[in-house]
Protein backbone atom coordinates (compact mmCIF):
# COMPACT_ATOMS: atom_id res chain seq x y z
CA UNK A 1 0.00 0.00 0.00
CA UNK A 2 2.74 2.45 0.95
CA UNK A 3 4.72 1.59 -2.18
CA UNK A 4 1.68 2.46 -4.30
CA UNK A 5 1.26 5.77 -2.49
CA UNK A 6 4.90 6.66 -3.03
CA UNK A 7 4.25 6.77 -6.79
CA UNK A 8 2.30 10.02 -6.28
CA UNK A 9 3.22 11.29 -2.80
CA UNK A 10 6.76 12.51 -2.15
CA UNK A 11 6.12 14.11 1.26
CA UNK A 12 7.50 11.65 3.84
CA UNK A 13 5.42 13.24 6.58
CA UNK A 14 2.19 12.34 4.77
CA UNK A 15 3.39 8.78 4.21
CA UNK A 16 4.34 8.49 7.89
CA UNK A 17 0.89 9.69 8.91
CA UNK A 18 -0.79 7.11 6.66
CA UNK A 19 1.50 4.39 8.05
CA UNK A 20 0.37 5.29 11.56
CA UNK A 21 -3.24 5.23 10.37
CA UNK A 22 -2.81 1.71 8.99
CA UNK A 23 -1.27 0.50 12.25
CA UNK A 24 -3.69 2.28 14.58
CA UNK A 25 -5.67 -0.91 15.25
CA UNK A 26 -9.37 -1.13 16.10
CA UNK A 27 -11.41 -0.58 19.25
CA UNK A 28 -14.48 -2.70 19.98
CA UNK A 29 -16.47 -2.44 23.20
CA UNK A 30 -13.64 -0.48 24.76
CA UNK A 31 -11.02 -3.12 23.90
CA UNK A 32 -8.14 -2.22 21.57
CA UNK A 33 -6.67 -4.84 19.25
CA UNK A 34 -3.78 -4.69 16.80
CA UNK A 35 -4.54 -4.64 13.06
CA UNK A 36 -2.20 -7.06 11.31
CA UNK A 37 -3.33 -6.44 7.72
CA UNK A 38 -5.73 -4.32 5.71
CA UNK A 39 -7.29 -1.03 6.74
CA UNK A 40 -9.64 -0.53 9.66
CA UNK A 41 -13.28 -0.87 8.62
CA UNK A 42 -15.16 2.35 9.22
CA UNK A 43 -12.06 4.50 9.05
CA UNK A 44 -12.61 7.68 7.04
CA UNK A 45 -9.54 6.99 4.92
CA UNK A 46 -10.26 3.30 4.22
CA UNK A 47 -12.37 3.85 1.04
CA UNK A 48 -9.69 6.13 -0.42
CA UNK A 49 -6.86 3.69 0.34
CA UNK A 50 -8.90 0.77 -1.04
CA UNK A 51 -9.42 2.60 -4.32
CA UNK A 52 -5.71 3.44 -4.55
CA UNK A 53 -4.82 -0.20 -3.91
CA UNK A 54 -7.25 -1.50 -6.54
CA UNK A 55 -6.13 1.14 -9.02
CA UNK A 56 -2.63 -0.31 -9.11
CA UNK A 57 -3.42 -3.96 -8.43
CA UNK A 58 -6.43 -4.25 -10.78
CA UNK A 59 -7.34 -1.24 -12.92
CA UNK A 60 -3.96 -0.71 -14.57
CA UNK A 61 -3.57 -4.44 -15.15
CA UNK A 62 -7.01 -4.60 -16.81
CA UNK A 63 -6.07 -1.73 -19.12
CA UNK A 64 -3.01 -3.66 -20.29
CA UNK A 65 -4.89 -6.98 -20.54
CA UNK A 66 -7.61 -5.57 -22.78
CA UNK A 67 -5.07 -4.45 -25.38
CA UNK A 68 -4.27 -8.07 -26.27
CA UNK A 69 -7.84 -9.37 -25.88
CA UNK A 70 -9.88 -10.65 -28.78
CA UNK A 71 -12.95 -8.44 -29.08
CA UNK A 72 -14.19 -5.61 -26.91
CA UNK A 73 -13.65 -5.45 -23.15
CA UNK A 74 -15.30 -2.99 -20.77
CA UNK A 75 -15.03 -2.57 -17.01
CA UNK A 76 -17.12 -0.58 -14.54
CA UNK A 77 -15.79 -0.58 -10.99
CA UNK A 78 -17.14 1.12 -7.87
CA UNK A 79 -14.94 0.46 -4.81
CA UNK A 80 -14.65 -3.34 -4.59
CA UNK A 81 -17.74 -4.05 -6.72
CA UNK A 82 -17.27 -4.38 -10.47
CA UNK A 83 -18.93 -5.53 -13.69
CA UNK A 84 -16.99 -6.52 -16.80
CA UNK A 85 -18.22 -7.13 -20.32
CA UNK A 86 -16.56 -9.28 -22.99
CA UNK A 87 -17.49 -9.73 -26.62
CA UNK A 88 -16.55 -13.42 -26.57
CA UNK A 89 -17.20 -15.94 -23.81
CA UNK A 90 -13.76 -17.68 -24.03
CA UNK A 91 -12.12 -14.33 -23.32
CA UNK A 92 -14.29 -13.88 -20.22
CA UNK A 93 -13.37 -17.34 -18.95
CA UNK A 94 -9.67 -16.72 -19.58
CA UNK A 95 -9.79 -13.35 -17.86
CA UNK A 96 -11.51 -14.81 -14.82
CA UNK A 97 -8.71 -17.32 -14.28
CA UNK A 98 -5.95 -14.77 -14.86
CA UNK A 99 -7.68 -12.26 -12.61
CA UNK A 100 -7.66 -14.75 -9.72
CA UNK A 101 -3.90 -15.17 -10.11
CA UNK A 102 -3.40 -11.41 -10.34
CA UNK A 103 -5.40 -10.67 -7.18
CA UNK A 104 -3.65 -13.46 -5.29
CA UNK A 105 -0.33 -11.63 -5.76
CA UNK A 106 -1.76 -8.74 -3.74
CA UNK A 107 -3.48 -10.76 -1.03
CA UNK A 108 -6.93 -10.42 -2.59
CA UNK A 109 -9.45 -12.94 -3.87
CA UNK A 110 -12.79 -13.01 -5.67
CA UNK A 111 -15.96 -13.55 -3.70
CA UNK A 112 -17.10 -16.71 -5.48
CA UNK A 113 -20.61 -16.43 -4.04
CA UNK A 114 -21.07 -13.10 -5.83
CA UNK A 115 -19.07 -13.82 -9.00
CA UNK A 116 -21.08 -14.97 -12.02
CA UNK A 117 -20.49 -15.37 -15.74
CA UNK A 118 -23.71 -14.64 -17.67
CA UNK A 119 -24.77 -14.03 -21.26
CA UNK A 120 -25.93 -10.44 -21.55
CA UNK A 121 -26.30 -7.83 -24.27
CA UNK A 122 -28.09 -7.00 -27.49
CA UNK A 123 -27.65 -10.47 -28.98
CA UNK A 124 -28.17 -12.51 -25.80
CA UNK A 125 -31.93 -12.93 -26.18
CA UNK A 126 -31.79 -14.13 -29.80
CA UNK A 127 -28.83 -16.44 -29.14
CA UNK A 128 -30.47 -18.06 -26.14
CA UNK A 129 -33.77 -18.52 -27.95
CA UNK A 130 -31.90 -20.16 -30.83
CA UNK A 131 -30.48 -22.69 -28.36
CA UNK A 132 -33.89 -23.27 -26.79
CA UNK A 133 -32.91 -21.54 -23.53
CA UNK A 134 -34.82 -18.96 -21.49
CA UNK A 135 -34.45 -15.22 -21.21
CA UNK A 136 -31.03 -13.70 -20.48
CA UNK A 137 -30.07 -13.60 -16.83
CA UNK A 138 -30.12 -10.38 -14.85
CA UNK A 139 -27.50 -9.01 -12.48
CA UNK A 140 -27.48 -6.58 -9.56
CA UNK A 141 -25.00 -3.73 -9.43
CA UNK A 142 -25.01 -0.71 -7.12
CA UNK A 143 -28.53 -1.39 -5.87
CA UNK A 144 -30.05 -1.76 -9.35
CA UNK A 145 -31.18 -4.89 -11.19
CA UNK A 146 -30.04 -4.80 -14.84
CA UNK A 147 -31.94 -6.79 -17.48
CA UNK A 148 -31.99 -7.10 -21.27
CA UNK A 149 -35.03 -5.41 -22.77
CA UNK A 150 -36.31 -3.65 -25.91
CA UNK A 151 -37.89 -0.30 -26.63
CA UNK A 152 -41.63 -0.34 -27.25
CA UNK A 153 -41.51 1.92 -30.28
CA UNK A 154 -38.99 0.21 -32.55
CA UNK A 155 -37.77 -2.85 -30.63
CA UNK A 156 -34.20 -1.63 -30.20
CA UNK A 157 -32.03 -3.17 -27.47
CA UNK A 158 -32.29 -1.48 -24.10
CA UNK A 159 -30.84 -2.21 -20.67
CA UNK A 160 -33.74 -2.05 -18.24
CA UNK A 161 -32.89 -1.01 -14.69
CA UNK A 162 -34.97 -1.08 -11.56
CA UNK A 163 -34.17 -0.99 -7.83
CA UNK A 164 -33.27 -4.28 -6.18
CA UNK A 165 -36.52 -5.45 -4.61
CA UNK A 166 -34.99 -6.67 -1.34
CA UNK A 167 -33.39 -3.28 -0.67
CA UNK A 168 -36.64 -1.43 -1.25
CA UNK A 169 -38.55 -3.83 1.02
CA UNK A 170 -36.02 -3.27 3.78
CA UNK A 171 -36.30 0.48 3.28
CA UNK A 172 -40.10 0.39 3.49
CA UNK A 173 -39.85 -1.70 6.64
CA UNK A 174 -37.54 0.88 8.21
CA UNK A 175 -39.96 3.68 7.23
CA UNK A 176 -42.83 1.78 8.87
CA UNK A 177 -40.90 1.42 12.13
CA UNK A 178 -39.85 5.08 12.16
CA UNK A 179 -43.39 6.28 11.42
CA UNK A 180 -44.62 4.24 14.37
CA UNK A 181 -42.04 5.97 16.55
CA UNK A 182 -43.09 9.39 15.22
CA UNK A 183 -46.81 8.59 15.45
CA UNK A 184 -47.73 11.43 17.80
CA UNK A 185 -45.49 14.09 16.32
CA UNK A 186 -47.19 17.00 14.50
CA UNK A 187 -48.23 16.10 10.96
CA UNK A 188 -45.98 18.80 9.51
CA UNK A 189 -42.91 17.28 11.20
CA UNK A 190 -43.83 13.81 9.91
CA UNK A 191 -44.32 15.26 6.44
CA UNK A 192 -40.94 17.00 6.41
CA UNK A 193 -39.20 13.79 7.45
CA UNK A 194 -41.04 11.68 4.86
CA UNK A 195 -40.35 14.19 2.10
CA UNK A 196 -36.60 13.98 2.80
CA UNK A 197 -36.70 10.17 2.82
CA UNK A 198 -38.71 9.86 -0.40
CA UNK A 199 -36.64 12.50 -2.17
CA UNK A 200 -33.51 10.61 -1.14
CA UNK A 201 -34.88 7.48 -2.85
CA UNK A 202 -35.58 9.47 -6.02
CA UNK A 203 -32.11 11.04 -5.96
CA UNK A 204 -30.56 7.59 -6.27
CA UNK A 205 -33.09 5.41 -8.10
CA UNK A 206 -34.83 7.84 -10.48
CA UNK A 207 -33.26 6.66 -13.74
CA UNK A 208 -35.05 6.07 -17.07
CA UNK A 209 -37.44 3.14 -16.86
CA UNK A 210 -38.06 3.26 -13.11
CA UNK A 211 -41.05 5.63 -13.06
CA UNK A 212 -43.66 2.87 -12.74
CA UNK A 213 -41.69 1.09 -10.01
CA UNK A 214 -41.08 4.27 -7.99
CA UNK A 215 -44.75 5.22 -8.28
CA UNK A 216 -45.49 1.90 -6.57
CA UNK A 217 -42.97 2.72 -3.83
CA UNK A 218 -44.56 6.14 -3.36
CA UNK A 219 -47.99 4.49 -3.09
CA UNK A 220 -46.69 2.16 -0.35
CA UNK A 221 -45.23 5.11 1.57
CA UNK A 222 -48.59 6.91 1.31
CA UNK A 223 -50.40 3.87 2.74
CA UNK A 224 -47.93 3.55 5.60
CA UNK A 225 -48.39 7.20 6.52
CA UNK A 226 -52.19 6.92 6.32
CA UNK A 227 -52.23 3.88 8.62
CA UNK A 228 -49.96 5.67 11.08
CA UNK A 229 -52.27 8.69 11.21
CA UNK A 230 -55.33 6.47 11.58
CA UNK A 231 -53.74 4.74 14.58
CA UNK A 232 -53.56 8.08 16.37
CA UNK A 233 -57.31 7.89 16.89
CA UNK A 234 -58.92 5.30 19.19
CA UNK A 235 -61.63 4.90 16.55
CA UNK A 236 -59.11 3.49 14.10
CA UNK A 237 -60.66 5.19 11.07
CA UNK A 238 -60.53 8.74 12.32
CA UNK A 239 -58.39 9.95 9.43
CA UNK A 240 -60.26 9.68 6.10
CA UNK A 241 -58.58 9.52 2.70
CA UNK A 242 -60.21 12.80 1.67
CA UNK A 243 -58.17 14.52 4.37
CA UNK A 244 -55.06 12.58 3.45
CA UNK A 245 -54.83 13.55 -0.23
CA UNK A 246 -53.99 17.25 0.38
CA UNK A 247 -51.19 16.20 2.74
CA UNK A 248 -49.68 13.93 0.11
CA UNK A 249 -49.78 16.71 -2.47
CA UNK A 250 -47.85 18.97 -0.09
CA UNK A 251 -45.33 16.62 1.53
CA UNK A 252 -44.72 13.58 -0.71
CA UNK A 253 -42.93 14.58 -3.95
CA UNK A 254 -44.12 13.04 -7.19
CA UNK A 255 -41.81 10.82 -9.20
CA UNK A 256 -39.69 12.38 -11.93
CA UNK A 257 -36.55 11.15 -13.65
CA UNK A 258 -33.50 12.87 -12.19
CA UNK A 259 -30.75 10.98 -14.06
CA UNK A 260 -31.53 10.91 -17.80
CA UNK A 261 -29.43 9.08 -20.35
CA UNK A 262 -26.00 10.71 -21.04
CA UNK A 263 -26.93 12.46 -24.33
CA UNK A 264 -29.51 14.47 -22.43
CA UNK A 265 -27.56 14.84 -19.19
CA UNK A 266 -24.44 16.15 -20.96
CA UNK A 267 -26.25 18.37 -23.43
CA UNK A 268 -25.39 22.06 -23.04
Amino acid sequence: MLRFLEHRIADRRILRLIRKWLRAGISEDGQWSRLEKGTAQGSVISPLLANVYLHYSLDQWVQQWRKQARGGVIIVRYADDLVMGFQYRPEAERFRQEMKARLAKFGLELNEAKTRLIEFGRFADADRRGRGEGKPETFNFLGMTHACSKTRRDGRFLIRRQPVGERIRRRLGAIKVELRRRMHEPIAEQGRWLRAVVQGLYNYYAVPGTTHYLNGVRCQVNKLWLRTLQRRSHKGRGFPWARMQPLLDVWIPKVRILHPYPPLRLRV
Side-chain angles (χ1 to χ4, degrees):
M1 180 77 256
L2 292 172
R3 196 179 312 137
F4 290 156
L5 292 172
E6 288 173 355
H7 286 304
R8 295 296 185 90
I9 301 176
D11 193 330
R12 310 307 299 180
R13 295 169 297 180
I14 299 297
L15 294 173
R16 185 168 60 251
L17 176 62
I18 295 176
R19 184 182 295 108
K20 290 180 179 180
W21 216 321
L22 291 173
R23 296 175 177 175
I26 56 176
S27 178
E28 293 181 334
D29 299 326
Q31 297 294 323
W32 180 86
S33 58
R34 183 182 300 276
L35 192 65
E36 299 296 340
K37 60 181 180 179
T39 60
Q41 294 298 307
S43 170
V44 294
I45 202 173
S46 291
L48 174 62
L49 294 180
N51 273 305
V52 171
Y53 197 80
L54 286 173
H55 170 74
Y56 287 105
S57 61
L58 179 65
D59 295 347
Q60 289 192 340
W61 175 76
V62 171
Q63 296 304 323
Q64 293 299 319
W65 193 95
R66 72 198 305 180
K67 293 179 181 179
Q68 49 83 36
R70 174 173 169 262
V73 178
I74 63 172
I75 177 173
V76 179
R77 182 178 71 80
Y78 183 85
D80 62 345
D81 199 3
L82 63 92
V83 171
M84 294 198 65
F86 300 84
Q87 189 171 351
Y88 301 106
R89 185 182 186 93
E91 291 293 275
E93 295 171 344
R94 181 168 69 90
F95 177 86
R96 183 173 181 175
Q97 295 302 318
E98 294 183 11
M99 181 182 179
K100 289 181 180 180
R102 171 69 179 182
L103 293 179
K105 293 181 179 179
F106 297 90
L108 304 174
E109 61 182 14
L110 287 176
N111 186 336
E112 294 295 343
K114 297 182 179 180
T115 303
R116 292 189 299 143
L117 182 59
I118 66 172
E119 193 171 8
F120 194 90
R122 66 178 67 250
F123 305 114
D125 185 52
D127 292 345
R128 291 177 66 86
R129 290 182 185 275
R131 298 193 300 265
E133 300 175 353
K135 295 181 179 179
E137 295 181 69
T138 63
F139 67 90
N140 297 335
F141 184 58
L142 301 183
M144 305 290 285
T145 298
H146 298 70
C148 296
S149 184
K150 296 180 180 179
T151 59
R152 293 183 178 181
R153 180 176 300 178
D154 50 14
R156 290 185 301 167
F157 173 72
L158 178 71
I159 296 180
R160 178 171 53 84
R161 295 173 291 173
Q162 72 176 34
V164 175
E166 181 58 30
R167 288 196 178 189
I168 295 298
R169 285 190 289 270
R170 288 201 303 265
R171 189 58 175 157
L172 289 174
I175 291 174
K176 180 180 179 179
V177 172
E178 184 64 17
L179 280 174
R180 181 70 62 87
R181 191 184 71 82
R182 296 171 175 263
M183 181 185 300
H184 298 291
E185 290 184 357
I187 291 178
E189 290 187 18
Q190 294 182 12
R192 275 190 289 270
W193 175 77
L194 271 177
R195 179 167 58 188
V197 171
V198 173
Q199 188 61 54
L201 290 173
Y202 296 166
N203 290 345
Y204 189 85
Y205 291 112
V207 300
T210 61
T211 302
H212 179 74
Y213 190 97
L214 291 178
N215 275 326
V217 174
R218 182 178 186 271
C219 182
Q220 292 298 318
V221 172
N222 294 346
K223 291 179 180 179
L224 291 174
W225 195 16
L226 175 61
R227 291 172 185 169
T228 300
L229 295 178
Q230 288 176 341
R231 289 174 181 268
R232 289 163 39 129
S233 171
H234 67 279
K235 297 181 181 179
R237 294 287 180 179
F239 207 96
W241 181 257
R243 185 181 173 191
M244 187 70 191
Q245 189 60 53
L247 295 179
L248 300 180
D249 294 338
V250 171
W251 296 112
I252 309 299
K254 290 183 170 56
V255 178
R256 66 186 185 90
I257 298 302
L258 300 177
H259 307 289
Y261 287 118
L264 297 178
R265 187 170 67 245
L266 302 179
R267 184 174 61 188
V268 178

